[in-house]
C-alpha cells in the first residue's frame, strides 16, 4: 500500500504555514541553472523566507541514536548547506537534523563551472562540485554563533541536531591530517562527525575500495586521538561528550568490497556509516540522456535502488551493530520507510528538496508516520531493519512474522 492510500480517511491535520516564496517561485527558479538555483535557496533561507514549522512531530518519529535525541529521523544531506550558512532555517523547516559540509581545512573554489546539472524528468542531479568550501575557520565561526544563539534562545530555537561532514583539500597529500584538523576545529560544535572518503569529484577521497580500506584503517585512529585530548580552550566537547564518528561510503561497491569495509569499520570502532554517496554509474535511462554524459556523481531518484541495496547489505554485514544513515533517492515517506526497514536508523535527502522545496519536508514526515502506524510500529526504532527480521522469521518458520524492535541507540 502506498502512503497516499494510508492517509485516506484520516482526520484532517492542523494546517501548516502558508506556502513559502521558495515553493511558490519554484517554476521560475528552475529556469536558472542548477547551481544558481541552489544559491537562490540558500539566500532565501538566510533572508528568513523559508517557512517555520510550529507543529510538533508525532511521537512515533522521535528517535535516539548514539545517545542523542532526534525529534524525527529526517535530515538534510551534506551538500546543501556546505558552509553552515542556514542551519537554523533548515531545522526550522522541520528537519530532525542538518548535515553541513563537506568542509575542507583551507578554502577552495572547487571545480570549474558549470558543475551541476539537472535531469528533471528523472528527478536526478549530476554534480562535480569538487568540495567547494569556505574552509574550517569560516565554518567554525558560524557554528560558534549558532551554538551561542541556541543557548540564548532556549526553547525558541528549533529542535534538531547538527552533523559536520569533513573533506580533504584537493591539493593535500595527507588526508588523515586534513581530517584530524577538521575534528579538532569543528568537533566541539558537532552532534556527529562524518569522514567523507567517497566523493567522486575530489582526488584522493578513495572511490577505489582498496584505498578506502586503507583510509578506514588510518582515519579513526588519528581522529580518536584528537577526541581523547583533555578538554581545554582549544578542545572542549558539548554536554553530550565527543561526537560519534561516521564514515560515508560509495554505492559503487562489489560484495567483497562491502564485506571488507564492514569488517574494518567494526574493527576500528567506527560509530556509524552513511550509505551512500553519489554514484559514478548511469543506471537505466540516465545513460541514454544527453546530460547523463556529464562527468560527476549522480543523485536523486535513479540512485534509490542502488543505495538501498548497499544499505541493506551493510546492515547485514555489520550485524546491525552500526547505526546507518540512509541517503540516496529519498523523495517520499515511502522511500524513507524503505530505507528504515532496510536498516537505516536515520534518513537524509537533498535532491528531492532541490526539486520540490520546503513543502517536501512536512509531507515526508506525515507519510512516514502514517506508514509506521499502518504497520503497528510505535516508533521509528522498532522498524529499523524490519525487512531483515521478517526474512529471518520466514526462513525459520516458513511464514512471516512481525519484527522485534531494532533500536540502535
Amino acid at each position: 500500500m502506498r502512503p497516499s492510500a494510508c492517509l485516506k480517511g484520516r482526520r484532517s491535520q492542523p494546517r501548516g504555514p502558508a506556502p513559502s516564496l521558495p515553493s511558490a517561485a519554484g517554476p521560475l527558479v528552475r529556469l536558472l541553472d542548477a547551481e544558481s538555483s541552489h544559491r537562490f535557496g540558500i539566500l532565501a533561507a538566510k533572508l528568513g523566507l523559508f517557512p517555520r514549522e510550529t507543529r510538533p512531530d508525532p511521537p512515533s518519529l522521535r528517535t535516539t541514536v548514539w545517545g542523542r535525541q532526534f525529534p524525527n529521523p529526517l535530515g538534510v544531506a551534506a551538500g546543501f548547506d556546505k558552509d553552515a550558512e542556514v542551519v537554523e532555517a533548515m531545522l526550522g523547516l522541520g528537519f530532525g537534523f542538518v548535515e553541513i559540509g563537506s568542509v575542507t581545512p583551507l578554502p577552495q573554489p572547487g571545480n570549474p563551472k558549470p558543475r551541476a546539472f539537472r535531469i528533471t524528468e528523472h528527478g536526478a542531479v549530476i554534480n562535480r562540485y569538487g568540495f567547494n568550501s569556505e574552509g574550517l575557520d569560516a565554518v567554525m565561526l558560524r557554528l560558534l554563533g549558532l551554538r551561542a544563539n541556541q543557548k540564548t534562545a532556549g526553547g525558541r530555537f528549533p529542535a534538531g541536531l547538527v552533523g559536520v561532514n569533513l573533506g580533504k583539500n584537493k591539493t593535500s597529500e595527507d588526508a588523515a591530517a586534513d581530517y584530524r584538523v577538521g575534528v579538532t576545529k569543528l568537533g566541539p560544535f558537532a552532534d556527529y562527525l562524518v569522514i567523507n572518503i567517497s566523493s567522486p569529484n575530489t582526488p584522493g577521497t578513495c572511490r577505489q575500495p582498496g584505498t578506502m580500506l586503507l583510509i578506514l584503517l588510518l582515519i579513526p585512529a588519528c581522529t580518536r586521538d584528537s577526541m581523547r585530548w583533555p578538554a581545554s580552550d582549544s578542545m572542549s566537547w558539548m554536554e553530550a561528550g565527543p561526537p560519534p564518528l561516521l564514515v560515508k561510503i560509495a554505492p559503487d561497491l562489489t560484495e567483497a568490497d562491502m564485506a571488507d569495509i564492514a569488517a574494518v569499520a567494526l574493527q576500528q570502532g567506527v560509530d556509524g556509516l552513511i550509505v551512500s554517496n553519489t554514484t559514478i554509474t548511469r543506471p537505466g535511462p540516465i545513460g541514454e540522456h544527453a546530460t547523463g554524459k556529464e562527468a560527476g556523481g549522480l543523485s536523486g531518484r535513479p540512485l534509490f535502488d542502488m543505495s538501498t541495496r548497499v544499505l541493506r547489505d551493510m546492515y547485514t554485514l555489520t550485524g546491525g551493530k552500526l547505526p546507518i544513515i540512509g541517503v540516496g533517492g529519498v523523495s517520499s515517506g515511502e522511500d524513507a520507510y524503505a530505507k528504515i526497514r532496510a536498516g537505516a536508523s536515520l534518513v537524509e535527502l537533498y535532491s528531492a528538496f532541490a526539486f520540490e522545496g520546503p513543502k517536501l519536508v512536512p509531507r515526508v514526515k506525515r507519510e512516514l508516520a502514517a506508514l509506521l502506524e499502518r504497520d503497528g510500529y510505535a516508533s521509528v526504532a522498532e522498524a529499523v531493519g524490519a525487512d531483515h527480521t521478517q526474512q529471518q522469521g520466514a526462513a525459520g518458520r516458513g511464514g512471516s512474522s512481525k519484527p522485534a524492535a531494532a533500536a540502535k541507540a
Side-chain angles (χ1 to χ4, degrees):
M1 183 185 300
R2 296 188 65 82
S4 56
C6 303
L7 299 173
K8 289 180 180 178
R10 293 177 60 81
R11 294 180 182 177
S12 60
Q13 300 294 321
R15 294 182 65 86
S20 63
L21 176 60
S23 292
L28 293 176
V29 173
R30 282 190 286 275
L31 293 176
L32 302 173
D33 65 84
E35 185 165 357
S36 296
S37 295
H38 180 194
R39 289 309 307 171
F40 175 87
I42 295 293
L43 178 61
K46 290 176 76 170
L47 293 176
L49 300 178
F50 275 11
R52 189 179 179 97
E53 180 60 85
T54 58
R55 298 163 295 182
D57 287 320
S60 63
L61 295 187
R62 299 172 194 157
T63 193
T64 301
V65 188
W66 304 297
R68 289 158 164 79
Q69 296 181 355
F70 292 76
N72 68 73
L74 184 66
V76 60
F80 180 78
D81 191 4
K82 292 175 177 288
D83 296 307
E85 297 178 86
V86 293
V87 174
E88 184 174 353
M90 298 304 286
L91 292 175
L93 280 178
F95 280 109
F97 62 106
V98 174
E99 186 176 316
I100 67 158
S102 293
V103 187
T104 58
L106 300 175
Q108 63 179 30
N111 292 324
K113 300 177 182 180
R115 53 192 180 181
F117 311 89
R118 299 189 199 93
I119 308 179
T120 304
E121 61 268 38
H122 297 295
V125 175
I126 293 173
N127 91 81
R128 51 173 181 263
Y129 280 113
F131 284 175
N132 51 312
S133 173
E134 292 184 17
L136 291 174
D137 289 341
V139 172
M140 181 174 66
L141 288 175
R142 291 197 183 105
L143 290 178
L144 182 64
L146 179 82
R147 293 306 187 187
N149 291 342
Q150 188 176 34
K151 183 176 295 186
T152 301
R156 300 189 307 277
F157 195 91
L161 281 71
V162 181
V164 175
N165 186 303
L166 300 172
K168 66 175 286 292
N169 278 118
K170 183 176 182 178
T171 58
S172 173
E173 297 181 358
D174 190 344
D178 278 15
Y179 293 125
R180 180 176 177 130
V181 72
V183 169
T184 301
K185 289 194 173 185
L186 301 188
F189 308 104
D191 292 302
Y192 69 87
L193 287 168
V194 183
I195 304 300
N196 188 353
I197 61 174
S198 55
S199 168
N201 303 312
T202 300
T205 50
C206 51
R207 295 288 286 201
Q208 294 299 319
T211 310
M212 189 180 296
L213 285 171
L214 178 61
I215 295 294
L216 271 173
L217 286 166
L218 295 174
I219 295 291
C222 78
T223 51
R224 291 296 184 196
D225 286 344
S226 295
M227 292 182 184
R228 281 193 285 264
W229 291 352
S232 66
D233 290 341
S234 61
M235 180 61 68
S236 56
W237 308 110
M238 292 191 299
E239 185 176 344
L245 181 68
L246 285 65
V247 174
K248 188 168 187 175
I249 66 172
D252 313 307
L253 300 171
T254 66
E255 291 184 6
D257 296 334
M258 289 187 284
D260 288 343
I261 290 169
V264 173
L266 289 169
Q267 174 190 339
Q268 292 297 100
V270 170
D271 295 305
L273 299 172
I274 298 186
V275 184
S276 68
N277 215 317
T278 57
T279 178
I280 57 175
T281 66
R282 299 293 184 262
I286 302 299
E288 303 301 320
H289 197 284
T291 305
K293 313 300 182 188
E294 294 286 350
L298 173 71
S299 62
R301 285 203 309 264
L303 182 59
F304 179 81
D305 289 341
M306 177 187 296
S307 61
T308 306
R309 182 170 60 252
V310 175
L311 163 60
R312 183 178 293 109
D313 288 346
M314 293 304 293
Y315 182 87
T316 298
L317 290 166
T318 58
K321 296 176 182 178
L322 296 182
I324 297 173
I325 298 180
V327 58
V330 174
S331 61
S332 68
E334 185 176 31
D335 294 337
Y337 189 48
K339 297 277 190 187
I340 290 167
R341 291 184 64 98
S345 297
L346 301 165
V347 177
E348 291 179 338
L349 56 79
Y350 172 14
S351 295
F353 183 77
F355 282 110
E356 299 188 40
K359 64 182 181 182
L360 175 70
V361 182
R363 175 172 66 79
V364 171
K365 293 194 295 180
R366 185 172 63 249
E367 292 172 352
L368 176 58
L371 287 163
L372 291 168
E373 181 180 355
R374 181 199 70 183
D375 290 349
Y377 295 115
S379 68
V380 168
E382 287 186 7
V384 174
D387 288 346
H388 302 266
T389 310
Q390 283 190 334
Q391 291 169 2
Q392 293 168 2
R397 292 182 293 277
S400 62
S401 64
K402 179 181 176 180
K408 299 292 179 286

